Amino acid sequence: MAQANVFEANSSQIQVEHDKKRRQFVIRLNGSHDRAVLLYEYVGKKMVDLQHTEVPDAYRGRGIAKHLAKAAMDFVVEEDLKAHLTCWYIQKYVKENPHPKYFEHIYQ
């Protein structure tokens, strides 16, 4: 009987990679076969649009997107950028995690 790989999203297992060339944050799931991603684009010299977060269906509801959202917002703060929040999940994350530094960097 084959043993299924069970992925639990606790912080010690989650590693977010920032691919600046492709303008995305990536979490490799279950080795490197499945990936959760957060896509962004520069829409000005100091402005990014956090466009889309995608987690494969089999991994949804486990807190994975939260790690992508945190990494993206930390990037915005660290690089002193302004962020336009197109992605509904990022909007939700910022509302649920009202860090003062985040609000300074959100383009309204």
Side-chain angles (χ1 to χ4, degrees):
M1 183 176 200
Q3 185 176 358
N5 289 333
V6 178
F7 183 90
E8 291 300 327
N10 68 38
S11 296
S12 65
Q13 291 178 297
I14 300 288
Q15 182 179 352
V16 179
E17 299 171 24
H18 185 186
D19 184 341
K20 290 185 177 186
K21 191 179 228 181
R22 292 191 171 127
R23 294 173 304 281
Q24 62 186 7
F25 291 88
V26 179
I27 296 173
R28 295 184 193 285
L29 306 164
N30 198 15
S32 62
H33 301 292
D34 297 318
R35 302 169 353 128
V37 297
L38 185 152
L39 307 174
Y40 69 92
E41 286 288 338
Y42 277 90
V43 292
K45 188 172 181 169
K46 298 288 278 178
M47 170 90 68
V48 291
D49 182 5
L50 302 178
Q51 297 178 324
H52 180 66
T53 304
E54 188 170 327
V55 176
D57 289 343
Y59 297 95
R60 291 191 180 160
R62 301 184 195 190
I64 295 167
K66 174 177 62 176
H67 292 278
L68 292 168
K70 181 183 184 324
M73 289 306 299
D74 288 350
F75 163 70
V76 167
V77 171
E78 288 163 14
E79 298 292 321
D80 196 23
L81 302 171
K82 288 285 186 190
H84 182 73
L85 309 181
T86 298
C87 174
W88 69 267
Y89 184 83
I90 302 291
Q91 293 172 13
K92 176 181 177 239
Y93 174 81
V94 169
K95 189 180 279 189
E96 292 175 355
N97 299 275
H99 194 294
K101 290 255 188 224
Y102 292 168
F103 294 111
E104 296 170 19
H105 292 272
I106 295 173
Y107 178 76
Q108 300 293 338

